[in-house]
Amino acid sequence: MTIVIAIDGPAGAGKSTVGRAVAAEVGVGYLDTGAMYRAVTHAVLCRGIDPHDTDEVGAVASSIELDIDDIDGRTIVTVDGDDATAAIRGREVTGAVSAVAANSSVRSEMVRRQRDWVAAHGGGVVEGRDIGSVVFPDAALKLFVTASARVRAERRVAELGGDVDEVEASIIERDRKDSSRADSPLVEASGAKVVDTTGMPIDAVVREIVEMLP
Ligand code: DC
């Protein structure tokens, strides 16, 4: 049976950790769609293209060979045969990804690739911003995983270091861009169950979600 579990929510809410744990519990694959937008952004920057150049960026999205695989709790990304796993998490990509993700040609190409991935894998846990609203509106379970901006910033700092006030400000700015863009903004999909992870250990979140499974 093909089961799709859609997980959306703002940056740093714990979606990846939760998504991987739920995928392991259900015995299906896990797809981090944010890594795909980051991979396109990386390819755009490597080519010296302006991330706001709609046509050039759209052409990159449809022409690159993009492989994505989740191994030992880590999303491994290859762009045109080169390992981009570390580069897609860097500052440059993080600063430019919202502009690339607002590009409608990029979005339609990524949505096509995400649906192909699910068809090839016989279902899966798919995580992003528009999964329950646009990519898989008929998913068996739709979740909107969130937490306060402060808590999300504290988690990011614990993982990657940095100043918590600065990280919180950049998280709020990225949420604003992701929620206000015209094409597929971050929204709570209709029928999505909201899971607020503020003050909740991740294993408790996973247990709560597994109990919701149909
Ligand atoms: O989840 P993340 O922080 O790695 O996502 C990177 C960016 O990609 C984020 O700013 C929002 C965008 N994104 C999107 O627009 N749609 C998705 N399905 C996933 C991510």
Side-chain angles (χ1 to χ4, degrees), residues 8-12 15-16 32-38 41 88-89 94 97-99 101-102 107 114 127-131 135 156 174-175 177-178 181 183-184 186:
D8 294 300
K15 299 188 299 295
S16 310
D32 171 359
T33 64
M36 298 172 73
Y37 290 94
R38 287 173 178 272
T41 307
I88 64 163
R89 305 289 164 196
T94 301
V97 66
S98 292
R107 298 207 72 82
Q114 289 153 21
E127 180 233 302
R129 303 294 190 285
D130 60 340
I131 309 305
V135 191
R156 272 278 141 102
R174 199 141 63 88
D175 287 353
K177 286 184 184 156
D178 292 340
R181 67 174 175 233
D183 189 344
S184 314
L186 170 66

Side-chain angles (χ1 to χ4, degrees), residues 6-138:
I7 304 185
D8 294 300
K15 299 188 299 295
S16 310
T17 314
V18 166
R20 282 196 181 93
V22 172
E25 190 75 33
V26 180
V28 293
Y30 162 77
L31 179 63
D32 171 359
T33 64
M36 298 172 73
Y37 290 94
R38 287 173 178 272
V40 174
T41 307
H42 171 66
V44 162
L45 296 176
C46 284
R47 286 163 174 72
I49 294 168
D50 175 355
H52 294 94
D53 185 328
T54 312
D55 293 345
E56 294 265 339
V57 170
V60 170
S62 52
S63 64
I64 55 171
E65 190 192 314
L66 172 55
D67 285 311
I68 187 155
D69 208 354
D70 209 65
I71 300 170
D72 294 336
R74 194 157 169 249
T75 291
I76 307 294
V77 175
T78 310
V79 179
D80 290 330
D82 291 331
D83 186 355
T85 305
I88 64 163
R89 305 289 164 196
R91 239 172 208 273
E92 287 197 336
V93 167
T94 301
V97 66
S98 292
V100 171
N103 181 314
S104 292
S105 329
V106 173
R107 298 207 72 82
S108 56
E109 176 63 23
M110 292 303 111
V111 168
R112 187 185 67 72
R113 293 187 190 219
Q114 289 153 21
R115 290 180 178 151
D116 284 352
W117 184 94
V118 163
H121 288 77
V125 173
V126 186
E127 180 233 302
R129 303 294 190 285
D130 60 340
I131 309 305
S133 55
V134 174
V135 191
F136 295 108
D138 298 327

